Amino acid sequence: MLLRRSFPILSRFKHTMTSTSRQAEITDNLNAVREAIKQVNCPQQARLVAVSKYKPAQDLLYAYEAGQRHFGENYVQELVEKSGELPRDIQWHFIGHLQSNKCKAVAAIPNLYVVETVDSQKKADTLNKACAGLRSDPLRVFVQVNTSGEDVKSGVSPADCPNVCKHIVENCPQLILSGLMTIGMFGRDPSEENPDFQCLVECRKQVNQVLPDQSLELSMGMSEDYLQALKAGSTNVRVGRTIFGARPPKEEMKK
Ligand SMILES: *Cc1c(COP(=O)(O)O)cnc(C)c1O
């Protein structure tokens, strides 16, 4: 029944030799990442989010057929399109920079699992307002923390994190504060403890000082560093290239 949504995609697609090997490639990559996650001796089985930005719907469908249900997207328009044509039991993670004027479009996606990138108190208020009337149940959110302090990165500062979290819990009834998220600095030494991940762990402690009953996830780790992140206590890793292969360089990307 759920798969009915995906038939148009399948029928549009010619089953050539290439398609078969692409399916095998994605399935193998996915299984290798799953196995690597299992090998890390982390207390909880972390969730794997397959990051599928710029990848065609057919690629996601191959991962879906291999049992993947959590997918991450960075761009609202792309998420809206893909969520409209792919199976309804996919659990979408919005992981891109969230603009205030796009909050409604994101909130309107019925099978949106979480918005991982709430990066200010104001954004939380805007998203909270957008959800009212559009969603029957409150929406999970993670607060994005700029742990590396890089200007180019979005996110609240570690110092502001507890206040923003408290604000969500106390003033945003349409949102459920469920975790903290960070993008580590690129190019850190994978053989050493990652200071960005340590910082996010510390942020959670600080949040629990003001919200003692709040159980929070840690979304950290990408292709480069997800094993390191798991060792540091990640509960949600976001892996793209290792599953779907390289993306085109930024200039060639549509927006
Ligand atoms: C693109 C992206 C990822 C996945 O990165 P890979 O290096 O492809 O694994 C994870 N998180 C965020 C926020 C991203 O933008």
Side-chain angles (χ1 to χ4, degrees):
M1 224 184 343
L2 282 162
L3 274 168
R4 217 173 67 195
R5 294 287 312 173
S6 65
F7 283 168
I9 298 169
L10 282 173
S11 57
R12 245 191 273 142
F13 199 88
K14 286 201 181 72
H15 276 270
T16 59
M17 202 60 171
T18 322
S19 73
T20 316
S21 63
R22 182 63 180 150
Q23 176 159 29
E25 186 187 359
I26 288 172
T27 305
D28 289 352
N29 290 345
L30 197 50
N31 286 333
V33 173
R34 286 169 175 159
E35 194 50 41
I37 292 173
K38 238 192 258 171
Q39 294 298 318
V40 179
N41 222 352
C42 58
Q44 70 286 316
Q45 190 64 37
R47 179 187 306 115
L48 171 60
V49 180
V51 175
S52 43
K53 56 179 174 236
Y54 302 119
K55 296 296 172 182
Q58 181 64 72
D59 278 5
L60 282 75
L61 206 49
Y62 287 146
Y64 179 89
E65 284 168 5
Q68 184 65 29
R69 291 296 178 270
H70 287 266
F71 289 86
E73 287 286 341
N74 287 60
Y75 302 96
V76 173
Q77 191 50 38
E78 195 175 341
L79 175 57
V80 167
E81 282 167 21
K82 285 175 176 171
S83 64
E85 59 181 325
L86 286 163
R88 292 304 161 116
D89 62 336
I90 285 181
Q91 299 183 287
W92 295 101
H93 293 230
F94 184 74
I95 62 169
H97 177 65
L98 181 61
Q99 293 168 292
S100 300
N101 63 354
K102 299 283 173 64
C103 283
K104 274 195 174 163
V106 172
I109 293 165
N111 49 334
L112 180 67
Y113 182 77
V114 61
V115 170
E116 297 203 11
T117 45
V118 170
D119 58 0
S120 72
Q121 190 166 303
K122 213 173 147 212
K123 200 70 64 66
D125 288 336
T126 308
L127 188 60
N128 181 62
K129 233 177 160 181
C131 287
L134 280 175
R135 304 187 71 82
S136 47
D137 296 320
L139 173 64
R140 273 181 214 88
V141 294
F142 297 167
V143 169
Q144 182 176 2
V145 185
N146 185 353
T147 52
S148 58
E150 293 165 277
D151 289 343
V152 292
K153 294 241 164 85
S154 304
V156 305
S157 70
D160 287 342
C161 184
N163 281 337
V164 174
C165 288
K166 196 163 183 280
H167 176 83
I168 293 172
V169 169
E170 292 177 353
N171 301 295
C172 300
Q174 309 296 328
L175 308 181
I176 304 173
L177 176 69
S178 305
L180 305 179
M181 176 273 204
T182 198
I183 304 170
M185 185 187 273
F186 188 73
R188 297 261 198 217
D189 184 346
S191 66
E192 289 176 7
E193 274 203 343
N194 185 311
D196 301 323
F197 300 159
Q198 297 308 317
C199 179
L200 202 67
V201 171
E202 182 57 32
C203 281
R204 179 166 63 182
K205 283 189 196 144
Q206 297 300 322
V207 173
N208 281 138
Q209 299 278 321
V210 292
L211 299 166
D213 300 328
Q214 206 73 29
S215 152
L216 294 176
E217 289 202 37
L218 295 177
S219 173
M220 52 191 198
M222 314 181 6
S223 287
E224 298 290 326
D225 52 19
Y226 72 96
L227 295 176
Q228 195 184 20
L230 289 169
K231 287 173 196 151
S234 176
T235 64
N236 186 87
V237 291
R238 312 175 308 265
V239 179
R241 285 170 297 156
T242 306
I243 297 169
F244 296 110
R247 291 180 293 270
K250 270 215 160 67
E251 312 83 70
E252 289 173 36
M253 290 177 176
K254 39 154 194 180
K255 192 189 131 84

